[in-house]
Each structure stands twice: as structure tokens, then as C-alpha cells.
Amino acid sequence: MVVSDLDEKPAQETAQEIKSAGGEAVVYAGDVARPDFAEGIVAKAAQTWGGLHILVNNAGFTWDAVVHKMTDEQWETMLAVHLTAPFRIIRAAAPISVRPPSRKRRRGGGKPQDY
């Protein structure tokens, strides 16, 4: 598992708990809203385990502000963390987590299709 947090210390603590329980974990600390974050965390997973099997996008927060007092900057930050970052991570992960196009499956009972 790749554990991430904005601050490295809590990520390290979580990774240590996982290891103490018999699991495997590495840390990739950083800001999910940064444009280079997605490529970096996916590369960390690929370098550590040779690929990516499961992706959990669970970064998020709330700004305790009522809508009429929320600034554009607050709104844009929430969009970056809740929407843009998961999109970037999925996009970065797709090439190493999808099955090869030579495999076929049936969709909706129809004929086999590449995916």
C-alpha cells in the first residue's frame, strides 16, 4: 500500500501501523492538488510493487464556511482536491492498471469486444 498525506509524519505513522499489523506500506507525501502528484504516487506504486491493482482516491476535506461566505479560492481548492486530483490519479494509473487490449470480454450479452 502507498500511504499518502499532505504531511509526511502522519503518513509514516500510518505506514508503520500497517507494517506492525503484518502488511506492507510505503509513503508518498505531498499535495494531491499539485499537477505532478498523480504521476509521482503512481510511479511509487509501480516501482515498489511492479504495478497497480487497486486505487482508492480518498483525499478530501471540508471548509467550514457557509456558501455565501466562501471565497472563490476556497471553492477552487475543494474542486482541485475532490475532483481534479482523483481524475489525474486515475489518468496516471490507467496505463498500468488496465488489461491488455488483446483480451476480450462480453458487454451486455453482445459479442466480445476489446477493452
Side-chain angles (χ1 to χ4, degrees):
M1 172 182 296
V2 179
V3 177
S4 185
D5 194 284
L6 197 59
D7 299 317
E8 189 167 351
K9 185 178 178 188
Q12 290 289 357
E13 291 169 356
T14 300
Q16 187 54 51
E17 287 182 33
I18 292 167
K19 291 175 186 177
S20 295
E24 296 180 40
V26 294
V27 170
Y28 186 84
D31 181 352
V32 297
R34 289 182 49 108
D36 61 343
F37 180 87
E39 296 290 336
I41 196 166
V42 169
K44 182 75 169 190
Q47 291 165 0
T48 305
W49 288 287
L52 184 64
H53 303 283
I54 297 171
L55 174 62
V56 178
N57 272 312
N58 69 334
F61 72 101
T62 59
W63 223 303
D64 292 330
V66 290
V67 71
H68 63 281
K69 292 184 178 183
M70 186 177 295
T71 67
D72 286 350
E73 181 183 5
Q74 289 171 316
W75 176 249
E76 293 297 330
T77 301
M78 287 191 301
L79 289 177
V81 171
H82 291 258
L83 299 174
T84 305
F87 165 75
R88 287 177 178 155
I89 295 169
I90 292 166
R91 182 177 59 192
I96 64 167
S97 63
V98 296
R99 293 182 184 159
S102 62
R103 301 196 56 193
K104 298 193 181 272
R105 68 177 174 146
R106 295 188 183 276
R107 289 189 180 170
K111 68 179 196 169
Q113 300 176 9
D114 287 331
Y115 62 100

